[in-house]
Structure formats: C-alpha cells, structure tokens
Amino acid sequence: MLTIDLLIDAKWILPIAPKNTVLENHSLAVHEGKIVDLLPANEAKEKYYADQFLDMNTHALMPGMVNSHTHTPMNLFRGLADDLDLMDWLTHHIWPAEGKIINPESTALGAKLAFAEMIRGGTTCFNDHYFFPDVIAKAAKEIGIRGRIGLLIMNCPTLWAKDEAQGIKACEKILETNDDFSLTEWAVAVHATYTASDHGLATAKRLSDEYNLPVHMHVHETSAELDIEKKRSGQRPLERIDHAGLLNEKFIAVHMVHLNDEDLSRVKNSGCHIILCPDSNLKLASGIPPIGKLLEITKNIAIGTDGAASNNDLDMFHEMRLAAILGKTTAGDPKRVPASRALEMATLGGAKALHLDHTIGSLEIGKSADMIAIDLDHLFTTPNFNPLSQLVYSANRLQVSDVWVAGRQLLKNFEFTRIDVQKLMMEAKPWIEQARQFSHHPTST
Ligand SMILES: [Zn+2]
C-alpha cells in the first residue's frame, strides 16, 4: 500500500475536466499538496493508506472557485455608498475615502477580511486590482490563499503613489525585489483607459512583455467611460488598448458591458479573456454584458465579484448563478450556459484567465489540491436530482464545509483553521469609523 497525506471519499466528485462529469463512489488522493489520484472508492481503499481519511458522504467535492476580479482591501468599504452611478460613487465617495484611510496597515486588514470571506464561501484563488500590491501579497501568504495580484498603473494621486510615474517605479521595484510568495503571482493592473496616460499603457505593455505577465483592466464598464474616451482620444477604449499593443491572449478584460460589432471583432481576433462581474454591473446600473454574443466569439469567459464596495459581497455562488441566468437571457435561449458551463466558468475558466490552469481550476492528477467540499444535505438543496444543478441554481455559499489550498486545510467542518475572524473585525473598526464620513444612503428616489 502507498502512504499518502489525505484520502477523501465524497458522495459526488466534480472534477470540471473532463467537462460535465459527476463521479459517484470515487475517492481523491492528495500527497504533498498535490492531487495524486482520482479513482473508484473500492480501489482506493486497497491502494492507499492515508494519514487522514475523510468520508464526505453528503458532499460534493470540486475545485475551489476562482474569483477573477477583486479589490480585496475594499472590504473596508462594503455598503459605504450605495444606489449611485459609477462616476458619482467613485469620485465623491470611494476615492475620497481611499485618500483618507488606505495605507499599508488598512490595506492588509481589508485584504484579510476579504480572504476570510472568500475562503468561507469556497473561493481559493483571487485576481486582485488595488493599491499596495506587495502588502496584499504578504497578507495572502499569511492567510494561505492563492492569487494573482495586480501591480497598479493609474494616473491619479493616491496614498500608494502621488502620480502615475511614482506608481510605475513602485511596481518595477516590486518586480525587481522578487520576494518569495509561493501562492501568489503578479499581473500588471491598469485601472481603465480614463485613468491611464499613453505612457502608462506603453509601460503596461513593456512590463507584460519583459516579465511575461497578464494585464488586468476594467474595460467598457459604463457608457460614460466610452464618452470620456471619445472626447479625449476620439477612440473607443478597446480600440486604444489595441493600438497600445495590449489586446492579446494575456489581456484580462473585466466587465465588457458596452460592446459594438467592432469591439466584438477585436475581442474575437485577440484571444483575450473576459471576466463577467454581473452583480456589480446590475447594482450600479452599468448595463448587462452581451454574454450570449461573447460566448460565441471568445476563447474564455470567467467570473469575478468586483470589490465588496460595489457588489456588496464576494459570493461566487451568487455571481455564478447570475452569469448563467444572464447568459440565457442575453442569448434568448435557456439552453445556453447550462450548469456545467457556469461551474466551469467559475473554476477552470478563472484559472485560464489568470494563466494558472497548469496548477489549478480542475481536479486532475498533478494539479494542486485547491478544492472545496459543499454539504448538499441541506434544506436549500433538497431534493437533489442533480448535484451540478444544485450547486449552480440553489446552493448557498454557507454550505461550503471544507476548503483546501495546496493541500492545506483552511476551513474544516465550517470552521476556519488559521483565521481569527472576530479579531480581524475588531481591528477593522477604527478604519471603518474614519470611512463613515464618506458614506451615502439616499432614503427615497
Ligand atoms: Zn473593479
């Protein structure tokens, strides 16, 4: 018999690859942080001796969710200002609040709150876009969550950098320092075309080429964004991005709500990755991405929550459900984005967009043991005719019972193993009080 670290018998195993597969009476074997086998349960018992054996006889085991667009420290601003349009929300509430309280200490705290929320809800990997990326990487290492963290290029004065040039210098310094963050990798994060100079876009291209990094950017989120770019450069944002040489298979385009035929043709020719954040788009009334058309032309679509300030949660189950339902609606076809496709977008699709699919996104031999168990023996998911359908259309994130990243268990039988959430919430209170002066809650329309 072979000795391994962990053997899990699960009622259902959804490996995501191969597509649309639900295995029953199977076991998953993990050793030294990696998946080493996936086989019928009766064979596993004869083949392996495991230091830890888990019998999850009411659970579905699947890869961890990949939240493909986050602003993790913005968990400090959840519900700060609601019911506003994007530009008003950003310029009169979020940016002033960030100017007042975002520093390395508050950034680390906000990020850790987000990591705890994501782990509790079954997310094992995130794609972040915020100030102080090195601080976020250190916080992620402390918590043990996987991620790709954006090095921010933005032409606005912030506490992270007084202007774009200083921000670029800080990004270059982080890349040159090359600290060991085994679970996180870098991306170039350009906020949007309306906050990027031509030099900023050219620098993003240079850093992406030099360090082989994906470029993560908000694109065509609102109609106002298109108007600003039209006045400034006479171009559509995607056109300007294309002319800067950024629109290729390394480009991660977030939102993509307002697209004409010319934009869609650029997407098709580039092989870029699309990240849908439907909850944020709907709440800010930015619009609905043409998911039906995007499904026909894009190489890969993934899902993100956006920050807790605009969503107002980091619930990938909710986001996945919305993406599936809007996909059907925009295609005019309820057969589009079936449950298996939605689950793939939230896991392997995210891994592909983040260029991490060699390591995560599916339960395949050789990949990292980044996985979650969901207890489906619950009122919310009864009866259970099909676990795939239950996971996408009915399950609540609080049904996630166990979470592992690289084989290390971060949530065990609904309890955190490494995070003191009450302590984090207490430590956040002074920062939240300072942010309160920027809050906004209209009482009537
Ligand atoms: Zn965003």
Side-chain angles (χ1 to χ4, degrees), residues 69 71 218 255 306:
H69 180 60
H71 306 280
H218 300 98
H255 294 306
D306 216 340

Side-chain angles (χ1 to χ4, degrees), residues 1-2 4 7 9 25-29 37-49:
M1 278 183 113
L2 297 169
I4 54 168
L7 188 69
D9 275 12
N25 301 316
H26 273 64
S27 301
L28 186 100
D37 215 341
L38 179 56
L39 70 173
N42 55 350
E43 290 177 26
K45 284 182 187 66
E46 290 179 8
K47 188 171 176 185
Y48 295 110
Y49 171 79

Side-chain angles (χ1 to χ4, degrees), residues 69-71 74 129 191 216 218 221 254-255 277 280 306-307 310:
H69 180 60
T70 57
H71 306 280
M74 294 186 87
H129 197 298
H191 174 256
H216 175 189
H218 300 98
E221 181 176 3
V254 181
H255 294 306
C277 302
S280 174
D306 216 340
S310 67

Side-chain angles (χ1 to χ4, degrees), residues 9 45-46 48 77 181 186 202 217 221 241 265 288 314 350:
D9 275 12
K45 284 182 187 66
E46 290 179 8
Y48 295 110
F77 301 137
F181 297 114
W186 303 116
M217 188 169 179
E221 181 176 3
I241 291 163
S265 145
I288 298 172
L314 308 182

